[in-house]
Amino acid sequence: MEEGIRLSKTVLHNVRVPLLDENRLYTLVAENGTWSAIIPQDGISHLPDARPLDHLDGGCPETSDRFDAGGKMLLPGLVDAHMHLDKSFSLPFVGNHSGTLEEAVRNYAAACPSFSKDMIRQRMMRAALLAVSFGTSAIRTHLDVHVEAGREVAMRTIEAALEVKEALKPYVTIQLFPMIPQQHVTPAAMELAEETVRMGVDGLGGAPHLSDEPETGIDRLFRLAERLGCPLDFHTDESDDPSVRTVVHIANRTKALGFAGRVTVDHLCSLAAMSDGEAEPIIRLMAEAGLKAVSLPGANLYLQGRHDNYPVRRGVTRIRDIAAAGIPIAVASDNIHDPFHPFGRGDLLLIALIAAYAAHMGSPADMRMLLRMITEVPAGILGLPEYGVREGYKADFVIFDADSPEMLFTMLPDRRWVHHGGRWLKIAAPRSGWNESALKRHWEEAFAAPDLNRRKELAG
């Protein structure tokens, strides 16, 4: 990624900000990486000294500080609340013939000792930069800590992750949550977990539903987190079995220890296998405990239901019901090109679209909810300060080549302008055109139709 040019002041005209009011345009002013003015416009501003974003050649602007967004949409930097940067791009080395979660766990654990720290660091860097290129400004990544393979193997991932976090600090915020193996919750494992916190990780996690004694592991992690003062983020009930309900014990411990707002539960697949009568009291308990939640629709659609004959359970949790209960719930990327999920590219817009399909979220209100589930909601889950498009807050943002949420989800535009820390990190290349003049004419006529593009005059 080319080094961005730091501008002390950036002015954006004719911007749509759907998280504020998408029915009007804004002029936004950022100074030294902070929003200094959010100004509603009465209509389109025609400013000869404002450089249209569409006219940039893909390189970072060196002199201009005033830009015309032409009605394009701006979101605050996207927030990926659940990734596995350390596992990303490991599929060439670790297969998964059955496509099940169980085989993925076994195979990756067996292969982990063969990965050097340099290999892990390189994979993490690649996945993190992909996410940044699509507009992500903050990531929470879980880290495999294979204590059973020995301390040296376990610490390779922690050391690589800390190095990547520091190297990319000017461009993306990365939170690190090591997963303490639930089948190996030994004193040595807990000592290593405590050491990782002293080294600079941001919290602790695990997957208690994979343990024969899940409540024991949950209790030990809560005691350690209470002593160290760090948050917890659990892989929770990633199972098609409706009797798997570790979230109940997590919620009860959260209430008992006063951990409200400091515990996140991810996946929650078994809720989707339950009847309404079974799921509703659990969701109420989650809300009472002050839990936060993350759904991983891409990976769970791929992994879950592998043991079913038709009808096949698909595993995506009850997103609507959880949100309706007042529980903050985000959607996130999870795995990228590894034995758990062979696809993905770190693009949260794509993940939101997958969630829309999986959770039947296609109404105008749903689409706007999904935008919040990759921005404001996960920012709250990660506890990010000064997040959003407000005066005095950090001016980290992504502009999309779309003028409405509907067009955003329809077109999934690759053309994006990414800004972070007072600099442009990525400038979209100019639009490509048709080689055939007849096709170019048909294209222009099609997009001139008012029922297809009611904001053509803003396209620049």
Side-chain angles (χ1 to χ4, degrees):
M1 184 178 295
E2 180 180 340
E3 184 176 353
I5 301 298
R6 185 182 292 275
L7 299 173
S8 61
K9 185 175 182 179
T10 299
V11 183
L12 299 166
H13 299 283
N14 299 321
V15 186
R16 287 198 185 276
V17 189
L19 299 186
L20 295 179
D21 180 355
E22 67 184 84
N23 293 316
R24 67 188 316 163
L25 298 171
Y26 287 84
T27 292
L28 308 179
V29 182
E31 298 185 71
N32 299 313
T34 300
W35 293 121
S36 60
I38 312 294
I39 307 167
Q41 298 177 194
D42 292 331
I44 303 170
S45 295
H46 299 283
L47 300 164
D49 60 337
R51 192 174 180 186
L53 289 181
D54 278 331
H55 292 182
L56 301 181
D57 61 4
C60 293
E62 298 185 9
T63 56
S64 178
D65 64 356
R66 189 177 296 272
F67 304 93
D68 185 351
K72 293 177 176 60
M73 277 180 47
L74 179 147
L75 292 176
L78 310 183
V79 180
D80 208 321
H82 185 123
M83 296 188 79
H84 288 270
L85 297 179
D86 56 324
K87 296 175 182 173
S88 65
F89 298 102
S90 63
L91 188 63
F93 311 98
V94 190
N96 183 355
H97 178 73
S98 68
T100 61
L101 174 64
E102 296 83 2
E103 183 181 347
V105 170
R106 288 194 308 271
N107 292 357
Y108 192 84
C112 198
S114 68
F115 298 140
S116 69
K117 188 175 82 170
D118 286 344
M119 291 176 67
I120 297 168
R121 180 174 57 235
Q122 183 182 33
R123 296 202 310 254
M124 294 188 71
M125 188 72 75
R126 180 180 180 183
L129 289 178
L130 268 176
V132 171
S133 76
F134 288 114
T136 291
S137 65
I139 294 168
R140 175 177 291 180
T141 181
H142 298 262
L143 304 170
D144 269 32
V145 182
H146 288 279
V147 180
E148 73 282 2
R151 184 184 185 282
E152 192 273 333
V153 171
M155 295 304 289
R156 288 176 197 169
T157 298
I158 301 299
E159 292 171 1
L162 288 167
E163 291 173 11
V164 170
K165 176 180 178 177
E166 181 63 25
L168 295 183
K169 188 176 180 179
Y171 316 109
V172 59
T173 297
I174 300 178
Q175 294 186 356
L176 308 177
F177 277 66
M179 296 177 63
I180 308 307
Q182 299 299 290
Q183 293 285 31
H184 303 275
V185 188
T186 62
M190 301 310 287
E191 289 175 9
L192 188 141
E194 184 170 352
E195 182 179 355
T196 66
V197 175
R198 291 198 301 269
M199 292 172 68
V201 305
D202 301 276
L204 295 171
H209 62 280
L210 298 178
S211 171
D212 296 331
E213 297 180 345
E215 294 186 359
T216 299
I218 292 168
D219 291 345
R220 288 179 177 174
L221 278 177
F222 266 101
R223 285 196 295 270
L224 183 59
E226 185 178 30
R227 182 158 58 84
L228 299 176
C230 66
L232 291 167
D233 194 324
F234 291 98
H235 287 58
T236 308
D237 304 337
E238 192 176 0
S239 171
D240 296 316
D241 184 350
S243 69
V244 176
R245 305 180 182 192
T246 63
V247 69
V248 172
H249 191 65
I250 293 171
N252 285 330
R253 297 308 296 159
T254 301
K255 291 176 66 176
L257 296 174
F259 260 57
R262 299 171 62 193
V263 180
T264 306
V265 286
D266 310 332
H267 292 289
L268 299 166
C269 304
S270 66
L271 283 175
M274 298 179 195
S275 67
D276 291 346
E278 293 173 302
E280 287 169 2
I282 295 175
I283 293 173
R284 284 199 301 271
L285 177 62
M286 291 168 56
E288 292 167 5
L291 296 181
K292 302 172 183 178
V294 182
S295 175
L296 296 312
N300 286 140
L301 282 170
Y302 180 78
L303 287 171
Q304 303 310 128
R306 291 283 181 168
H307 302 292
D308 288 353
N309 294 317
Y310 284 95
V312 176
R313 291 167 289 189
R314 299 313 307 274
V316 177
T317 196
R318 293 168 171 258
I319 294 176
R320 285 183 182 278
D321 294 343
I322 292 170
I327 300 167
I329 181 167
V331 295
S333 290
D334 208 3
N335 303 72
I336 299 174
H337 196 59
D338 66 15
F340 297 81
H341 184 233
F343 313 119
R345 60 181 193 173
D347 182 359
L348 277 174
L349 181 59
L350 176 60
I351 294 297
L353 178 63
I354 294 171
Y357 279 110
H360 296 157
M361 298 180 70
S363 73
D366 289 337
M367 293 184 201
R368 284 135 185 94
M369 179 188 296
L370 286 164
L371 292 184
R372 296 186 186 280
M373 291 171 70
I374 58 175
T375 53
E376 294 176 344
V377 175
I381 291 173
L382 271 62
L384 300 179
E386 300 176 348
Y387 176 87
V389 185
R390 292 181 59 181
E391 291 183 11
Y393 283 19
K394 296 177 182 177
D396 300 333
F397 60 86
V398 53
I399 298 174
F400 296 89
D401 191 13
D403 65 357
S404 69
E406 286 78 5
M407 290 308 296
L408 187 65
F409 283 111
T410 298
M411 302 306 295
L412 292 183
D414 279 331
R415 297 184 74 235
R416 304 179 194 189
W417 294 258
V418 182
H419 190 277
H420 185 92
R423 56 162 69 89
W424 291 101
L425 302 185
K426 183 180 180 183
I427 298 291
R431 290 192 184 101
S432 59
W434 296 96
N435 288 330
E436 289 283 338
S437 59
L439 290 177
K440 181 179 179 181
R441 184 178 67 256
H442 292 320
W443 180 264
E444 292 174 348
E445 291 173 352
F447 275 79
D451 58 327
L452 294 180
N453 190 349
R454 61 188 177 89
R455 296 176 183 147
K456 179 179 180 296
E457 72 276 9
L458 298 176

